[in-house]
Amino acid sequence: MVLNYQLFIDGDFRPATQGGVIEVMNPATEDVYATVASALDEDVQEAVTAAKRAQPAWAKLPAIERGRALNALARELRQHTEELARILTYEQGKVLSLARGEVAAAADYLDFTAEWARRYEGEILQSDRPNENIFMFTMPVGVVAGILPWNYPLFLLVRKLAPALLTGNTIVIKPSEETPVNACEFGRLVQQAGLPAGVVNILPGGRETGDLLCRHLDIRLISFTGSVAAGKQIMAAAATHMARVSLELGGKAPCIVMEDADIELAVNSIRDSRIHNAGQVCNCAERVYVQRGRLAEFSTRLVEAMRQVRFGDPFDETMDYGPLINDTRRQAITHVVREAINDGAELLTGGGYGPHKRGFYFEPTVLGNCTQNMRLVREETFGPVLPIIAFDELDEALAMVNDSEYGLTSSIYTRSLHTAMRASNELQYGETYVNRAHSEAIQAFHSGWKQSGIGGADGKYGLLEYTQKRVVYMQN
Ligand code: NAD
């Protein structure tokens, strides 16, 4: 049975005015799993109008009440964990345990952000004049557009919605056209949690819908997670009316493995990092630089570890990962792997699609003898594929790792404090992990350097992205 979903505008579900429909595919079976109304001009207009109308009253509530609304949403998510997790597995293809973890992480994020209600603050400044107070207020920006990718759709929805709402903004969310169903279900939970109409609006649609939203004059902040290419287009659209942007973009996360590393730890963490969600994670190991003295040992053990990985039906709880999101992505990955092999890389394991008759699967894949100029080493792959590059000295590794347009996450495996310190100081990345797999904490700050983004998410600094300052000079 194919499920049907509508837009969520001003507290209610409604069909799209111009009647567009997105067919959502289950990437494990290649069947259409749901149809979702797709928003265009009038729908965008109505959603932004509803959000704008709702914003002043929402901002006037004490922050603690906005925080309670986030707690109520967290409770709804927890009560509906199983159905939401199954939806995520159906439309995105992640294994069910990971989908359950995504729902749990989203609920925790809501509660964590709610705690900030009593904690974010303004300032009182020293005045140069007698009998004057200078107050600096931390204010909402107004209506926020949240534009989402498909790889962690529910968590990323909440990562935008929670700080936006807590600080007194209202929001219009455009989920990815690949994974809109969980967002529509989230709209139902917004109703059940009793949030005022218009505070949260959900507009499924494609690139055109996103563009219309970004160009709307009443959007004051565009919080976008997705590819660098779309990030550039969104920044250009924002420039037309000077909307702020917060951009969480792609990465090409390097891992450095030194000769003195705990090789077992490095192999297991890098494998786990690369197969997580079939390799479709912005911050996870995308290329490995191994010091020559341990190259053979590391490569052999990584290949063994990758051969142990099970991939297949994401509802089968013995699987480590499921399918890629679609065939276009699979073809693109196949292409860069073949190109690297033609340029001299050695296929050590994988490279094919596996035994499945249907579904966009890709084998756990390792390539040795890779070089810095290969696209496989330079461009984001977003699949379960790891290129290995050899180096002799740390300086050489740091130079290759920093020779990248991306600057999201990085890691190093070493037992030397000196080496770890040097890498932490010299890696040009928003995050560096030492002796552990790549995954960020919600109290930290997830931010890309260079073309990996502008601004960031999580913790205090992520919260403040959704605010602006106002100064009041009070003379008496
Ligand atoms: P994408 O850029 O193709 O699409 C993301 C969203 O943007 C979709 O909703 C799409 O409809 C919309 N969109 C595309 N072009 C647009 C435009 N010109 N104007 C407005 N909206 C537009 O990305 P994707 O394939 O959905 O996601 C994968 C990418 O997301 C990868 O590059 C990954 O690294 C990145 N990502 C980054 C982070 C992070 O925290 N830095 C997290 C998750 C994913």
Side-chain angles (χ1 to χ4, degrees):
M1 190 186 72
V2 176
L3 307 165
N4 303 299
Y5 290 87
Q6 296 185 321
L7 316 177
F8 182 66
I9 298 177
D10 207 13
D12 272 319
F13 286 93
R14 58 172 87 167
T17 319
Q18 282 141 302
V21 164
I22 302 168
E23 290 193 331
V24 184
M25 191 186 278
N26 174 347
T29 62
E30 304 179 35
D31 295 325
V32 173
Y33 150 70
T35 63
V36 177
S38 178
L40 274 179
D41 310 68
E42 268 182 56
D43 311 310
V44 171
Q45 183 58 43
E46 284 179 22
V48 177
T49 302
K52 190 177 178 191
R53 199 167 44 234
Q55 197 265 332
W58 180 249
K60 274 188 189 159
L61 288 176
I64 192 73
E65 287 187 33
R66 296 195 295 267
R68 284 186 190 119
L70 299 188
N71 294 137
L73 273 171
R75 280 194 295 279
E76 292 294 334
L77 281 184
R78 291 194 180 102
Q79 273 168 20
H80 296 86
T81 296
E82 201 54 29
E83 63 196 78
L84 286 166
R86 294 185 78 79
I87 287 169
L88 289 170
T89 296
Y90 271 121
E91 64 180 339
Q92 198 260 286
K94 58 167 52 89
V95 290
L96 199 50
S97 56
L98 193 57
R100 290 187 186 116
E102 182 173 346
V103 182
D108 286 350
Y109 204 95
L110 286 159
D111 283 341
F112 166 76
T113 308
E115 288 176 22
W116 281 95
R118 290 195 176 104
R119 296 199 179 129
Y120 80 103
E121 51 204 18
E123 293 171 38
I124 301 172
L125 307 175
Q126 296 296 339
S127 171
D128 297 346
R129 299 158 66 129
N131 299 320
E132 180 182 71
N133 287 322
I134 306 180
F135 299 106
M136 176 114 73
F137 291 89
T138 300
M139 307 293 293
V141 297
V143 181
V144 174
I147 300 187
L148 309 178
W150 45 263
N151 65 335
Y152 273 89
L154 184 67
F155 179 74
L156 293 169
L157 186 161
V158 162
R159 201 186 220 177
K160 299 188 184 312
L161 172 141
L165 263 48
L166 186 87
T167 49
N169 305 282
T170 53
I171 195 163
V172 181
I173 302 262
K174 193 205 82 66
S176 166
E177 52 275 46
E178 303 281 355
T179 54
V181 176
N182 70 90
C184 296
E185 288 290 342
F186 188 87
R188 223 186 291 281
L189 303 187
V190 168
Q191 280 181 324
Q192 285 169 22
L195 269 69
V199 169
V200 177
N201 305 275
I202 299 190
L203 282 188
R207 187 199 159 282
E208 193 182 349
T209 314
D211 186 56
L212 286 166
L213 187 57
C214 291
R215 288 179 192 278
H216 196 293
L217 296 182
D218 289 326
I219 294 294
R220 298 304 336 140
L221 166 69
I222 304 164
S223 177
F224 170 68
T225 302
S227 61
V228 173
K232 289 178 183 173
Q233 290 165 358
I234 284 173
M235 214 170 152
T240 59
H241 58 298
M242 218 54 83
R244 289 153 185 262
V245 290
S246 177
L247 304 175
E248 312 289 320
L249 309 178
K252 185 71 194 171
C255 310
I256 301 175
V257 181
M258 301 296 295
E259 278 173 1
D260 69 354
D262 176 338
I263 293 292
E264 188 175 350
L265 172 76
V267 164
N268 289 338
S269 312
I270 292 170
R271 182 232 13 229
D272 291 351
S273 185
R274 183 65 305 196
I275 62 164
H276 200 76
N277 201 16
Q280 303 170 114
V281 190
C282 63
N283 60 4
C284 285
E286 280 251 343
R287 49 187 168 132
V288 191
Y289 295 82
V290 186
Q291 202 165 13
R292 215 172 290 273
R294 306 292 289 279
L295 178 65
E297 179 193 355
F298 176 86
S299 304
T300 306
R301 291 176 72 167
L302 181 67
V303 166
E304 276 167 19
M306 288 290 259
R307 285 188 180 146
Q308 303 298 316
V309 170
R310 287 148 306 176
F311 66 105
D313 178 4
F315 282 103
D316 176 343
E317 305 226 16
T318 66
M319 293 299 151
D320 295 309
Y321 70 81
L324 297 171
I325 188 69
N326 57 38
D327 201 39
T328 310
R329 290 294 321 136
R330 184 165 70 166
Q331 308 258 358
I333 295 170
T334 308
H335 189 69
V336 280
V337 167
R338 287 202 185 132
E339 195 180 88
I341 293 168
N342 286 339
D343 290 345
E346 185 188 353
L347 183 65
L348 300 177
T349 189
Y353 295 170
H356 315 89
K357 293 222 162 38
R358 291 175 75 79
F360 307 121
Y361 293 100
F362 203 97
E363 290 174 338
T365 300
V366 181
L367 293 107
N369 206 24
C370 294
T371 53
Q372 185 67 5
N373 54 358
M374 292 174 177
R375 280 206 299 148
L376 185 64
V377 175
R378 302 200 72 83
E379 294 178 12
E380 189 176 45
T381 313
F382 234 51
V385 179
L386 266 173
I388 300 177
I389 307 105
F391 70 91
D392 292 304
E393 300 298 333
L394 178 61
D395 282 342
E396 186 192 350
L398 290 173
M400 285 195 285
V401 161
N402 285 336
D403 169 30
S404 175
E405 289 168 6
Y406 295 104
L408 192 58
T409 73
S410 55
S411 65
I412 183 159
Y413 293 83
T414 177
R415 288 194 171 99
S416 156
L417 182 59
H418 169 76
T419 306
M421 280 295 289
R422 255 204 77 194
S424 318
N425 290 334
E426 294 181 29
L427 285 167
Q428 295 162 5
Y429 288 79
E431 273 162 37
T432 295
Y433 300 93
V434 179
N435 294 325
R436 95 197 231 336
H438 303 207
S439 68
E440 67 268 20
I442 60 178
Q443 64 272 38
F445 189 51
H446 180 56
S447 75
W449 288 14
K450 301 184 187 168
Q451 295 196 30
S452 288
I454 292 180
D458 310 335
K460 174 178 163 186
Y461 298 104
L463 188 84
L464 294 178
E465 295 265 304
Y466 293 83
T467 66
Q468 56 190 343
K469 297 293 184 203
R470 181 171 61 203
V471 180
V472 174
Y473 299 86
M474 189 172 289
Q475 182 77 60
N476 56 41

